[in-house]
Amino acid sequence: MTELSKTAFIIQCFDKEIVNNKVHELKEELDKDYKYLVGIAISNSNAGANSILEQVKVKGADVLPEKFEAAHVMSNGAVAPNKRFFSWFTPIPVSGDEMIIRFSDPNWSTNYNLQVQVLLTNNLEEIVNVLFA
Amino acid sequence: MYSLHKIYGGDLKNQGSESFRFTIKDFKKVRGAFCSGGVNLSLNFDNGRKVFLHEFEFGKTTDCPPNKRPVIFEKDLDMELISGVVSGIMGQQTSVYLILEK
């Protein structure tokens, strides 16, 4: 079994302050030194359980289905940091492409900072073994 | 590798229980299924002849790694009718996904 510490990967973070229950857009270019997007996670425990990932797109293509429940990619502190990613999608070939995430929290009650983490790698086979081990 | 396919999405009506049926083209295998937390899922393949899940409860907790939450199995597809029932609290926003492989 491959160990995560031996793989070439990076966790890129998108941050956005959530200030109401409307749709918020997070937009950023992915690290051009990495070739595949293989995982997504939301680390913020302030985000409501009914939060929605309205769209997650790279190069105009959907990474996740529209209106995907954010709870599917959220974990609490009991989950090891390297196991917090959701990876049940086809790895997306990337090359410094722009990623757009549209997020909404219908139960928003107070401002908080949302952090979405994406896992990028150059070594597809090894990282997939780690993610699903 | 994998593709997510939403097979049900909506507010649970009919006393919190909704049925669905569909056929999938362009994919050869189903590798798993998952749905919103706090609902029960029944899933049948082969035009109703094979029951894969019977009122399986998906939990709401987030203390399990996201990649481990789906029910994982392997089922070859051959243009068959897939059907199921999802049940929970009436009015609950619910979605059900299949993990498909080409």
Side-chain angles (χ1 to χ4, degrees):
Chain A
M1 187 186 303
T2 307
E3 293 177 17
L4 192 60
S5 59
K6 294 178 182 174
T7 62
F9 74 95
I10 190 172
I11 297 170
Q12 186 169 342
C13 301
F14 296 61
D15 289 276
K16 182 86 174 182
E17 187 177 18
I18 306 302
V19 297
N20 55 38
N21 61 359
K22 308 296 184 196
V23 175
H24 291 68
E25 187 169 281
L26 296 78
K27 188 187 293 187
E28 198 166 318
E29 285 184 3
L30 296 171
D31 192 315
K32 61 179 172 47
D33 292 331
Y34 292 86
K35 296 177 184 171
Y36 299 99
L37 188 160
V38 292
I40 183 167
I42 291 179
S43 68
N44 196 289
S45 57
N46 293 324
N50 295 325
S51 298
I52 301 289
L53 288 165
E54 303 280 350
Q55 284 184 326
V56 181
K57 286 181 178 282
V58 177
K59 295 185 284 189
D62 288 320
V63 177
L64 297 173
E66 288 189 4
K67 297 191 178 297
F68 195 70
E69 292 166 51
H72 293 310
V73 304
M74 292 165 72
S75 309
N76 65 24
V79 179
N82 63 350
K83 297 292 183 187
R84 290 179 189 168
F85 291 92
F86 180 89
S87 306
W88 285 110
F89 56 85
T90 303
I92 312 291
V94 293
S95 177
D97 298 298
E98 186 178 69
M99 184 168 189
I100 298 173
I101 298 167
R102 303 184 81 223
F103 171 92
S104 68
D105 183 350
N107 298 126
W108 172 90
S109 59
T110 184
N111 292 7
Y112 62 87
N113 185 62
L114 174 78
Q115 186 175 83
V116 179
Q117 303 169 343
V118 296
L119 184 62
L120 305 171
T121 186
N122 285 326
N123 195 331
L124 199 53
E125 289 186 9
E126 284 192 3
I127 199 82
V128 167
N129 288 339
V130 172
L131 289 168
F132 293 102
Chain B
M1 285 182 62
Y2 305 115
S3 178
L4 294 179
H5 192 86
K6 193 177 199 171
I7 56 176
Y8 175 80
D11 301 328
L12 294 176
K13 300 182 177 72
N14 301 319
Q15 298 184 344
S17 183
E18 294 274 3
S19 60
F20 53 85
R21 54 172 52 198
F22 58 96
T23 303
I24 290 178
K25 299 174 182 174
D26 302 329
F27 289 91
K28 292 181 177 175
K29 280 184 182 176
V30 182
R31 292 299 306 270
F34 64 100
C35 63
S36 309
V39 301
N40 294 348
L41 176 65
S42 297
L43 196 58
N44 308 315
F45 291 91
D46 284 350
N47 304 317
R49 288 192 291 270
K50 282 188 179 171
V51 178
F52 264 65
L53 297 174
H54 179 64
E55 296 190 1
F56 185 87
E57 181 181 357
F58 284 82
K60 279 185 174 178
T61 59
T62 54
D63 55 2
C64 175
N67 282 344
K68 301 286 188 186
R69 290 178 204 161
V71 176
I72 305 302
F73 54 85
E74 190 165 325
K75 169 75 179 73
D76 291 336
L77 290 175
D78 187 20
M79 287 297 293
E80 66 207 52
L81 185 69
I82 303 170
S83 59
V85 176
V86 60
S87 57
I89 300 169
M90 193 167 163
Q92 181 179 356
Q93 182 67 35
T94 302
S95 51
V96 181
Y97 295 91
L98 285 187
I99 301 168
L100 302 173
E101 190 173 358
K102 286 207 174 184

